[in-house]
Amino acid sequence: MEKQEYTITVYTENHVGLLSRIAIIFSRRKINIESLNTSPSEVDGIHRFTIVIFETEVNVKKLVRQIEKQVEVLKAYYNTPDEIVWQELALYKVSTDEIAEKVKVERLLREYGARAVVIRKDYTVFETTGHREETDKLIEVLEPFGLIEFVRSARVAIIKASSGFHEKLREFEAIHPAADSLTIEL
Amino acid sequence: MEAILEQEKSVQVTVSGSVALLESLIAENVQTIFGYPGGAIMPIYDALYDYNEQLTHILVRHEQGAIHAAQGFARASGKTGVVFATSGPGATNLVTGLADAMIDSTPVVCITGQVFSHLLGTDAFQETDVINITAPVTKWNYQVTNPEEIPAVLAKAFYIASSGRPGPVLVDITKDAQLKTFEWQGYTKCAHIRSYRPKPHVRVEFIDAAAALINSAKKPFVIFGQGVILGKAEAEFKAFIEKGGFPAAWTIMGMSALPTDHPLGVGMLGMHGNYAPNVLTNECDVLIAVGMRFDDRVTGRLDRYAKQAKIIHLDIDPAEIDKMVATTVPVWGDCKETLPLLTERLQKQDHSDWLAKFHELALKEHEVVIEQELFPESGQLTMGEVIRTVNEITNGEAIIVTDVGQHQMVACRYAKYQQSKSNITSGGLGTMGFALPAAIGAKLGAPERQVIAVIGDGGVQMTIQELGTIMQSKVPVKILILNNQFLGMVRQWQQLFHDKRYSFVNIESPDFVQVAKGYYIDGQKVSERASLRAALETMLAHQDAYLLEVMVGKENNVFPMVPQGCGVAEIRLK
Ligand SMILES: Cc1ncc(C[n+]2csc(CCOP(=O)(O)OP(=O)(O)O)c2C)c(N)n1
């Protein structure tokens, strides 16, 4: 089976130590995490991890079950890129002098959907949001002008088919949870 | 203090974190704690001083001994074992036992002391990051810095350790949280955690599918593990195989869930298991796995494992389904619930021809291996005849706790059991040093039963200091050392697979009987066949603890064997 990119979405309690418990599920199996984001979710008090890995579907399924086995994990999902809407954000710091002299800032902004976040005398910080290929392209463009700093955020993703976690959580909270909240998908 | 709490549970009373901890343990019906004190847990030990009547504390000689004892206690009693240890080295000494309890699904709650919370992360004296060190080897762990959390955290700890697929839990309590007082609001047991689903919901459509598959089988074969014992489903399991007339083989961890002489019991699976169940795994048409996890020691080479069979897997842990072996029908859930649902749907069938195949191969194993192992007429004593003689004296009523190595495999191959929870061994981790402390715990967990620790001359020295615990706490366990003067199992591999290059397996031992005497434990040593039975009878009739060292053949091997990298059907009889 082919390896491919999977985005894993994990709904969890906000618990100190859970990040490392989730991280070691991957490191123990020598699986590299391409990107990891933790953030609040649509439900107050519930955290959401977004993890990107390159794996076979068989292995992703097993990993997801190992993640769900953690006591503080409510639910984990895995999706291929076509099943999600996702974005990453990148910041680029360049010398303002260089940029002003040699490039048409306007054009840059337009072409790559970039936006100037900070413009100072000594440097300018641009921001782009998009898929990896898009953010990568701007690096190439800016490199000749002396890219002082570059950073890209982890992926955040919305599952197209998801109707959110509010309803599921109510099921989990019931002392006698509904049958389907106890069911693990095949 | 405890008296006040007893009377006025509803009235608010101010307690320290330490007292809250002990009250929480009492509320969980804990009576026995295995532990070892130290600086960071001193407030708890100070509080314990006043709880002599409600709580029995067994002072071990090493924290590894404490956790193995707690494991033995849990495995023999079905209750949760409890451990106290101090911070730093006390806590790190627990790691082997935690890993062992994790892989063998044993419910244990460990309480570790931790440095004052303001010192966390400063490399303070005896500070270690216990939570992170133990994360991969605990089902759950938690650090308490606020004493008010203690009752709820303990309730959670006991609930998590014992529910679903059991496992070890560690609660690390900073010294300030042990000392600080708060208003005790009473103790409420935990029965639900919203993010935790101990039992997956049973799906009837899979029960139906599984039953249909089983009913259509010509050569059904049941393999079962510790899940049957942990699920307290021994009766349900027996009813299931008896109605279907299915041959059933156990993993080392499932052993004793079914009496060893049950007519449908066809022996042990795995590397040193019996010949028939290994060979016929690759001939059955439907393989029904109950509460077991397809460990590599059971399956051998996976791409040659039961390829011809349809696989039904009953397990409480969804992560086990399809982990090693792809299932045809997964039956998620507690086997105590799922087995009766399957039994209901079974058609009575006659599988006696198929069962006869097992008996045929068993006969072959008997002729080639078992006969001379159990009934040798000359030469040095064999491990097998020692175990056989034990069976004859105890009638299979004893709990046998084994260490790791050849003696473990021989004991598990030949021990007879009438009751469940009688075989206590380190199955998943293979921890040498397990047996002696685990036997202490087993005896305290099942005081009415005879407990025999079967240990090699190598492994006994890994935790021999626990003779001190046996002495001081007067635990009447029987210690049976099978001395082959080698690290036998490793020697066997070196003989078979490394051209007999015996690299550091030649181990010299002290005079074990004298060592025991030093701890005021009686004992003797035998090397003659003629004196074996009498020596075993003396040991088993002895009121107190007793150590019997039996000198056995130096270079005997355990067979059959599925060599590493081979399929189960390639099992060797010699
Ligand atoms: C803590 C630990 N260290 C090393 C091993 C590897 N090991 C497995 S069996 C064995 C030999 C055990 O020798 P002994 O206790 O004398 O028992 P025997 O095999 O001779 O019955 C060793 C070293 C282990 N299982 N556990």
Side-chain angles (χ1 to χ4, degrees), chain B residues 306-488:
Chain B
K307 283 295 168 198
Q308 79 296 342
K310 298 242 169 33
I311 306 222
I312 297 170
H313 191 178
L314 284 72
D315 210 286
I316 199 165
D317 178 359
E320 289 302 338
I321 308 285
D322 291 336
K323 188 185 81 177
M324 306 307 297
V325 173
T327 45
T328 317
V329 183
V331 180
W332 281 317
D334 185 340
C335 61
K336 190 157 181 92
E337 293 167 33
T338 53
L339 282 169
L341 292 173
L342 280 176
T343 308
E344 249 167 51
R345 289 163 170 76
L346 288 187
Q347 288 154 7
K348 246 196 150 16
Q349 291 218 17
D350 177 34
H351 294 297
S352 49
D353 286 353
W354 168 230
L355 190 62
K357 275 203 130 176
F358 284 86
H359 294 149
E360 226 172 84
L361 294 185
L363 212 63
K364 188 165 168 196
E365 180 180 350
H366 197 89
E367 279 164 16
V368 183
V369 182
I370 300 178
E371 183 67 27
Q372 52 260 48
E373 179 66 36
L374 296 195
F375 304 97
E377 274 157 16
S378 58
Q380 291 171 294
L381 284 169
T382 66
M383 291 183 177
E385 68 182 314
V386 180
I387 301 299
R388 172 187 55 85
T389 314
V390 169
N391 291 336
E392 288 166 3
I393 303 170
T394 63
N395 283 320
E397 295 293 346
I399 291 180
I400 295 185
V401 186
T402 68
D403 213 69
V404 172
Q406 290 184 312
H407 64 279
Q408 173 191 34
M409 292 301 129
V410 171
C412 292
R413 284 178 54 78
Y414 299 114
K416 296 280 177 230
Y417 294 116
Q418 299 298 333
Q419 298 184 46
S420 183
K421 300 197 194 71
S422 295
N423 180 52
I424 298 177
T425 193
S426 169
L429 203 67
T431 306
M432 284 173 73
F434 175 82
L436 189 59
I440 296 172
K443 184 67 195 175
L444 292 165
E448 71 292 351
R449 299 190 64 188
Q450 178 81 267
V451 175
I452 307 167
V454 179
I455 320 182
D457 48 315
V460 73
Q461 291 204 69
M462 284 216 177
T463 46
I464 200 162
Q465 74 284 349
E466 299 309 329
L467 289 174
T469 310
I470 292 169
M471 167 189 73
Q472 184 170 356
S473 297
K474 303 192 172 48
V475 192
V477 291
K478 306 299 151 65
I479 305 153
L480 179 55
I481 299 177
L482 300 182
N483 187 346
N484 55 12
Q485 303 167 65
F486 271 116
L487 296 174

Side-chain angles (χ1 to χ4, degrees), chain A residues 153-168:
Chain A
S153 77
R155 167 178 303 187
V156 291
I158 294 280
I159 303 169
K160 289 178 186 166
S162 165
S163 48
F165 207 67
H166 294 281
E167 195 53 39
K168 265 252 177 311

Side-chain angles (χ1 to χ4, degrees), chain A residues 13 15 17 20-21 24 28 44-46 62 65-66 68-75 169 172-175 177 179 181-186, chain B residues 131-132 134-136 138-142 156 160 165 192-197 199-201 203 206 317-324 330 332:
Chain A
E13 299 291 353
H15 177 79
S20 95
R21 274 187 174 267
I24 59 182
R28 175 176 171 192
D44 195 30
I46 300 291
K62 290 181 190 175
R65 289 197 186 145
Q66 294 294 337
E68 285 200 335
K69 200 162 143 173
Q70 298 300 322
V71 170
E72 268 94 10
V73 169
L74 288 134
K75 197 90 195 89
L169 184 66
F172 282 127
E173 276 174 341
I175 298 288
S181 66
L182 289 176
T183 297
I184 286 85
E185 280 89 19
L186 270 175
Chain B
I131 295 298
N132 274 302
T134 62
T138 50
K139 185 173 171 187
W140 186 69
N141 62 10
Y142 189 82
K156 234 175 130 171
I160 293 168
R165 178 176 179 175
H192 174 71
I193 298 169
R194 69 177 183 181
S195 59
Y196 170 62
R197 281 142 295 153
K199 288 181 194 179
H201 184 71
R203 287 214 234 164
F206 288 128
D317 178 359
E320 289 302 338
I321 308 285
D322 291 336
K323 188 185 81 177
M324 306 307 297
W332 281 317

Side-chain angles (χ1 to χ4, degrees), chain B residues 475-518:
Chain B
V475 192
V477 291
K478 306 299 151 65
I479 305 153
L480 179 55
I481 299 177
L482 300 182
N483 187 346
N484 55 12
Q485 303 167 65
F486 271 116
L487 296 174
M489 186 55 90
V490 180
R491 186 208 54 74
Q492 175 171 345
W493 283 49
Q494 288 177 348
Q495 179 188 343
L496 299 176
F497 312 117
H498 296 271
D499 295 331
K500 229 177 169 186
R501 286 153 54 88
Y502 286 169
S503 181
F504 301 99
V505 287
N506 195 331
I507 188 164
E508 291 178 12
S509 290
D511 180 335
F512 288 120
V513 176
Q514 282 304 316
V515 171
K517 289 242 155 76

Side-chain angles (χ1 to χ4, degrees), chain B residues 247-260:
Chain B
W250 50 84
T251 69
I252 198 170
M253 296 298 292
M255 188 161 197
S256 86
L258 185 73
T260 41

